[in-house]
Amino acid sequence: MSKTSNRINAMQFSPIRKLAPFADEAKKKGVHVYHLNIGQPDIETPKTFFEGINDYEGKVLKYAGSRGIDELVESFIKYYKGWNVDFKPENIMVTNGGSEAIFMTLFTICDVGDEIIVPAPFYTNYVSFAAEAGVKVVPFITKAEDGFHLPTKEEILAKVNDKTRAIMLSNPGNPTGVVYTKEELRMLGDIAKEKDLYLIADEVYREFVYDGLKYTSLLSFKDLEDRVIVIDSISKRYSACGARIGMAGSLNTEVMGQMMKLAQTRLCVPTIEQFAAANLINTPASYFEETNAEYDRRRNILFDGLKKIPGVICEKPTGAFYIVAKLPVKDAEAFATWMLTDFNKDGKTVMVAPAAGFYGVDGVGLDEVRLSYCLNCDDLADAMKIFAEGIAEYKKIEK
Ligand SMILES: Cc1ncc(COP(=O)(O)O)c(C=O)c1O
């Protein structure tokens, strides 16, 4: 008898963390590893968060309500007013990060065996949340040479069948950094209306948009109000990943009402973190201006560094803090591993995430990697030099 379930056996480990043991080994040998593989921002969490912790005056650390504490729900309502979205408390569910919001959404709108379609490459945990909910992720491919923008309506429609319940997308995109245009989102909205689908809008990187682009949220389409469920989080917006505070939001009160059953089973989200998160609304606008300017500088360093490497193909991303690049190697995972096990330059090396795991389609993206720019400018510039030397060195020995 197998000790664990077929379901858990079928689930994958995170491809982003797959190479971590090799990085640990390299560090044990004294090699400094620049982490361009993960989306853990290094920007300081605003002071408002830590000040908010002091707002908890209780003598007992109580369960919070399952929807979230009033102060946090109200602060999300205020935040969304800034995006011209009129949420009421019943439109909001505070969750343990955007992660739980994704799982709860899938569980609420899909039955076991249902399907969701997702532009690939996508945030790999989508497959795991879907597996938890018994749902199949059906990818449609977007390409580096198109800047990872959406394919034609026909190509997307070809993936829709009787089991399809939703289109899910991250905008700005992780891992691609794509920011979808209003026209692209309109097209998805039209498909959703024609085929009676939900739209799961993962907008956790909403604030990270560059080049003066205007961001369009799926929540801004009045005729899609009943179909859109937004996934949100303070993790990236306020560099507060460890707080584990996110939310699901929808103007469809039937969906949100049913979701409450799930929220009640896990009782609540940590109470003190909610108090802290509620005070983030008082963060000065300058925090976002400075943070965006810093990410923009990093984006330029990373992109310029990649462009200088012969054979690398990538478009400049316009959002989030990632870039997917095609490398002049046959097997990007073998290369990324070798960078950790066999290569260093003056005792330093670079860790990147092989991108094949972001596609969910066998044989696609084998020569691609995702790089994140959650590292200060000087270190990033150094990392890009080492990365370029690594590629040149690897090409000499690649079989
Ligand atoms: C696209 C996307 N959605 C959701 C999440 C979940 O983040 P959290 O659970 O920290 O809110 C992440 C984290 O990296 C992400 O990249």
Side-chain angles (χ1 to χ4, degrees), residues 96-99 102 123 126 170 174 202 204-205 233 235-236 241 244 322:
N96 287 288
S99 303
I102 298 168
Y123 176 51
Y126 286 172
S170 108
N174 175 8
D202 181 344
V204 303
Y205 295 98
S233 170
S235 291
K236 315 286 165 161
C241 298
R244 310 309 305 133
Y322 307 99

Side-chain angles (χ1 to χ4, degrees), residues 43-51 234 237-240 279-280 282-284 287-288:
I43 304 283
E44 274 188 24
T45 312
K47 286 193 180 54
T48 43
F49 181 87
F50 301 104
E51 287 160 9
I234 67 163
R237 180 176 306 140
Y238 296 105
S239 201
N279 197 43
L280 284 169
N282 298 317
T283 306
Y287 173 83
F288 294 106

Side-chain angles (χ1 to χ4, degrees), residues 137-330:
V137 170
V138 177
F140 55 92
I141 304 291
T142 63
K143 298 187 189 130
E145 43 274 40
D146 301 332
F148 295 103
H149 280 279
L150 296 181
T152 61
K153 188 173 175 185
E154 288 64 38
E155 279 175 69
I156 300 172
L157 276 170
K159 300 289 177 185
V160 179
N161 64 36
D162 288 352
K163 292 184 171 165
T164 314
R165 285 289 160 270
I167 305 172
M168 176 152 89
L169 74 166
S170 108
N171 181 31
N174 175 8
T176 61
V178 66
V179 178
Y180 297 112
T181 63
K182 192 171 184 181
E183 290 70 31
E184 285 176 289
L185 297 170
R186 184 64 262 172
M187 170 181 63
L188 293 181
D190 292 343
I191 295 174
K193 283 170 84 173
E194 277 168 47
K195 297 291 177 183
D196 197 12
L197 307 175
Y198 286 104
L199 290 159
I200 308 174
D202 181 344
E203 300 189 354
V204 303
Y205 295 98
R206 196 186 280 134
E207 271 76 15
F208 302 99
V209 170
Y210 316 108
D211 298 335
L213 279 187
K214 193 178 169 320
Y215 178 74
T216 306
S217 165
L218 264 172
L219 286 168
S220 65
F221 297 89
K222 284 276 163 237
D223 62 327
L224 302 176
E225 276 184 357
D226 254 17
R227 301 182 181 278
V228 175
I229 303 157
V230 77
I231 306 298
D232 202 354
S233 170
I234 67 163
S235 291
K236 315 286 165 161
R237 180 176 306 140
Y238 296 105
S239 201
C241 298
R244 310 309 305 133
I245 301 284
M247 61 158 264
S250 179
L251 290 161
N252 184 324
T253 43
E254 170 63 15
V255 167
M256 297 313 294
Q258 292 292 343
M259 196 183 285
M260 181 51 100
K261 295 176 188 169
L262 284 172
Q264 288 176 347
T265 61
R266 55 72 164 132
L267 306 178
C268 72
V269 168
T271 310
I272 291 188
E273 277 74 4
Q274 291 195 63
F275 273 95
N279 197 43
L280 284 169
I281 196 75
N282 298 317
T283 306
S286 58
Y287 173 83
F288 294 106
E289 285 150 23
E290 284 158 24
T291 305
N292 257 40
E294 174 63 16
Y295 278 123
D296 193 14
R297 282 191 287 275
R298 296 172 180 193
R299 178 179 67 128
N300 290 329
I301 293 169
L302 188 67
F303 182 70
D304 294 347
L306 285 170
K307 277 304 200 195
K308 279 191 203 131
I309 304 173
V312 167
I313 299 175
C314 60
E315 291 292 308
K316 194 169 191 175
T318 49
F321 32 70
Y322 307 99
I323 184 164
V324 172
K326 250 185 211 300
L327 303 184
V329 302
K330 287 192 207 87

